[in-house]
Amino acid sequence: MAEEVKSPARYTITAALPYTNGPIHIGHLAGVYVPADIYSRYLRLIGKDVAFICGSDEHGVAISMKAKKEGVTPKDVIDKYHAIIKKSFVDFGITFDNYSRTSAEVHHKTASEFFVKLYEQGDFIEETTAQLYDEEAQQFLADRFVVGTCPRCGHEEAYGDQCENCGSTLNATDLINPKSTISGAVPSLKETKHWFLPLDKYEGFLKKWILEGHKKDWKPNVYGQCKSWIDDGLKPRAVTRDLDWGIPVPVKGGEGKVLYVWFDAPIGYISSTKEWAEREGKDWEPYWKDKDTKLLHFIGKDNIVFHCIIFPSILKAHGNYILPENVPANEFLNLEGNKLSTSKNWAVWLHEYLEEFPNMQDVLRYTLTANAPETKDNDFTWKDFQARNNNELVAIFGNFINRVVVLTNKYFNGVVPNPSNFSKVDKETLAELKKYPEIISSSIERYRFREASQELMNLARLGNKYLADEEPWKVIKEDAERVQTIMFVALQIATGLAVLSEPFLPFTSKKLKRILNVSPSASCLPAGRVEGSIEWNDVSNKETLLPANHLIGKAELLYRKIEDKEIQAQLDKLEATKKANEKENKALMPQKDTITFDDFSKLDMRVGTIVAAEKMAKTKKLLVLKVDTGLDTRTIVSGIAESFAPEEIVGKRVTVLVNLAPRALRGVDSEGMILLTENSDGKLVFVNPDEDGVGNGLTIN
RNA sequence: GGCGAGGUAGCUCAGCUGGUUAGAGCGUCGGAUUCAUAACCCGGAGGCCGAGGGUUCAAGUCCCUCUCUCGCUACCA
């Protein structure tokens, strides 16, 4: 059931729908859009029927949260980022056949129909549970809409789903003193009904389809993640939410509820395909329902479960749809050693990049491809970016082109010379050139884009070596006719590069074709094959790519060097971001309500010393400490194991709140609390006396 | 704690179903060259393939244990 579609009649290629709560950055580009675009462009170059589909993902709590925070409507938020994101894609040459959005009418209709169909088939189960409800605002509260005191660390601004202070995962119903962020009211519990997709029912299908069928052709990270989920046992998953932003649940009892964003988003691929087909006068259905269609999802690793488990189950439940043949998910890209973060502004934003490096899209595309996180998380560094540009694009690719064009102009006034006797080396070099389409194809078709980009560079190396060995600048002095042949061969390689670079370096390819005075390839243009254009396989099949007597243009540099100071400027910018983040963090918590001296004097804080520490078994964060408080030596359990090793804190002076009511944590009574704060990296720091000679048990006031 | 992925030259990565002296690019060192954006081209050095056991005639490649990184998940609250 998982056989590869041998020679697909058409391809449906989807790229993860970007979420419109921010612009997009290099991580998105490297993980999803560049590989998907390379793949799609390549397929078009070999004459395939391709629908390359994407769009903005615009529903969900995070967007309504953001809107609330900024005092605007959700529509304002999505319109803003949809525009920015869409423009970034155009600017970077991502050739979607259609870029839609999930707020579009066609999508609301498609997703609703999908839901109704499954509903009518009885594929859902219904369940009523008690959820927090805001009487004043008359709505249920998503976890993120509730704040309260973290039951774990006492942080008073914990969100319902997670405490940002101690990092623990929470349920909104666990919060102490919960408050609605919408009205400030104290929420009550109220019953609510939801629809669930019983994923457990699809376990057999998923096992057979993925675990048996795709063991070999899916990437290990993708396969492993799926296996992990399936082996863990699948549970029913809610497909509706109590929210007012999204697609209304289109069945009885669905009032005031919307489809869960993860139910509707992947269906957005289908909606977007419909929109495209409508516009192009095509039939969308074969792209999603015909067995001869090869469906591929390009995503990042955070989406694996949705694209490999949940969405296929939905498609399977529906019944008429084909399943993805592969989901070549990438891992994550880090930036200068730290995780990319939209909220912390730790990113290289695409729109900002183009302001600072105008017309250098291909440099970023290339760097991100050559360094793509295909098998594991990878780090983007500006130094690496500079090196890829200066040592590869400039020195190898750009330099070769420049040499060929300059020499052709110098010796033959820009006219491709007539070759005469091909030497053994000439023939071998031309034969090498003809191998490249196959070499690069093979890498692309196995989703090994970084390897493919390096093979492309090897073709430029072939050209450089050929010139270095044949030395036309020497030969010209005694045998001009021989130089004609040499330059002819070199020009064929240059032309090959112009064609084969197109999926990776589309802007370069276009410019190079202009310099060589050849037509753009079909995939650059919607109209299909252009008269006189040279396509992928022509590089192998055609005897001559650039004929004698053809006139080429003047030399232009394809790339410029990137100076150290430009790189330094980017590093400084990131450093500034880091500083700004630190400030922001400090400013985060507003001052709490005023207390009286009596309130304060209730706290009994003492100087103490940690005399023993050991990790509590089977937990990740807890350390069991023995602390000498001066009064006694007592046990305190503290969630600091991720910041400190037990042995390094023995002997540490600390501040202890000694009269906190004892509490059992994991069966061990904890008699007090150690005072801690955290540094800018989120690592915990003890609050303690910074001079020696302060005895244990002394009070703090 | 469970599960998954990764740990191979200074850096970024290849090494398929186990088989001769472990590969590539960058960096580094040396050479050659000047058409070219001081670029290209040639060559050298550099690896107890995370650690330890085991299977085998033979292990980076298979099995077990441990360890570090990342992710998911659980527990704790």
Side-chain angles (χ1 to χ4, degrees), chain A residues 165-221:
Chain A
N165 187 49
C166 67
S168 45
T169 312
L170 306 169
N171 289 316
T173 46
D174 296 337
L175 289 175
I176 302 163
N177 300 325
K179 246 193 241 173
S180 162
T181 56
I182 295 169
S183 66
V186 176
S188 55
L189 281 173
K190 190 173 168 178
E191 305 249 287
T192 177
K193 181 166 80 174
H194 282 289
W195 287 266
F196 290 75
L197 184 68
L199 286 176
D200 43 312
K201 273 176 54 183
Y202 300 89
E203 203 173 294
F205 146 70
L206 291 166
K207 271 188 175 155
K208 196 160 177 219
W209 176 53
I210 300 175
L211 300 187
E212 291 172 29
H214 287 295
K215 196 172 173 65
K216 276 180 255 151
D217 59 334
W218 283 16
K219 295 170 63 165
N221 56 331

Side-chain angles (χ1 to χ4, degrees), chain A residues 288-351:
Chain A
W288 282 94
K289 298 182 175 177
D290 191 301
K291 296 275 176 276
D292 291 332
T293 298
K294 180 162 168 169
L295 172 64
L296 294 172
H297 298 309
F298 282 86
I299 56 168
K301 71 170 163 187
D302 50 331
N303 281 186
I304 289 173
V305 61
F306 294 103
H307 285 80
C308 299
I309 307 276
I310 301 175
F311 188 46
S313 296
I314 293 171
L315 292 173
K316 175 78 177 169
H318 189 286
N320 297 328
Y321 283 81
I322 54 170
L323 298 169
E325 191 174 304
N326 209 324
V327 184
N330 272 344
E331 301 283 299
F332 283 154
L333 188 72
N334 295 324
L335 170 60
E336 299 288 354
N338 291 106
K339 270 180 217 173
L340 284 160
S341 163
T342 298
S343 57
K344 288 185 183 162
N345 195 30
W346 189 256
V348 176
W349 303 106
L350 299 190
H351 58 288

Side-chain angles (χ1 to χ4, degrees), chain A residues 22 76 181 325 336 352 386 568 587 651 695:
Chain A
D76 293 333
T181 56
E325 191 174 304
E336 299 288 354
E352 288 185 9
Q386 181 189 28
Q568 194 53 50

